[in-house]
Amino acid sequence: MASDKDLVKLYSGRILALAADIPHLGRLDAPSATARRRSPLCGSTVTVDLRIENGRIADFAQDVKACALGQAAASVLGAHVIGRSRDEIDRGRDQLAAMLRENGPVPDAPFGDLEVLLPAREFTNRHASILLAFEATAVALAAAVEAA
């Protein structure tokens, strides 16, 4: 069982820096699709708006109401989301989930910066919040691609 001291160490300077600088914050005026995901355990939410062109994300915005860990994951996603396909987003989400839940490897590029969240593996109550931005993006992108 993780102690309070372990939890304090989890919130490293790098995680806090990512959380403080989340790219693409806000909402889009006319998105191709929107998705909202909520973690029932902690109440964190992420709402994603995106526009697609030729099956790839052309514009993106996210409204992130999550702990620093969820914010850090949203920050890494936001830094690399433009130009990504549905397969790339789904793979990033699945690799992040495997890294957290199955001791899998760090996600492939361009999402390798998610390595900063390796210490969160033992904090299973934080996994849902960490995955929110990727899950919302995957749902929105699937809806946009299917509607196109």
Side-chain angles (χ1 to χ4, degrees), residues 18-103:
L18 284 168
D21 190 24
I22 302 171
H24 303 289
L25 279 179
R27 302 292 306 269
L28 296 181
D29 289 334
S32 301
T34 298
R36 179 179 181 268
R37 287 292 172 262
R38 179 180 178 275
S39 169
L41 187 62
C42 65
S44 292
T45 61
V46 174
T47 303
V48 165
D49 297 322
L50 53 80
R51 279 196 283 274
I52 62 164
E53 291 176 12
N54 301 317
R56 294 190 172 272
I57 298 171
D59 202 3
F60 177 86
Q62 57 185 341
D63 182 28
V64 180
K65 307 282 192 258
C67 68
L69 300 172
Q71 291 174 28
S75 184
V76 172
L77 173 69
H80 303 288
V81 73
I82 301 297
R84 298 290 157 225
S85 69
R86 182 176 179 182
D87 286 345
E88 289 170 308
I89 295 298
D90 287 350
R91 185 172 45 253
R93 176 203 58 209
D94 295 346
Q95 289 177 341
L96 175 58
M99 180 187 87
L100 292 170
R101 297 177 177 153
E102 302 163 16
N103 291 324

Side-chain angles (χ1 to χ4, degrees), residues 4-5 8 10 21 28 42 45 55 58 61 65 72-73 80 83 91 94 102 114 121-122 124 135 141:
D4 289 344
K5 186 176 179 181
V8 168
L10 175 62
D21 190 24
L28 296 181
C42 65
T45 61
K65 307 282 192 258
H80 303 288
R91 185 172 45 253
D94 295 346
E102 302 163 16
L114 291 167
R121 282 178 170 162
E122 65 184 283
T124 56
E135 290 175 347
L141 186 51

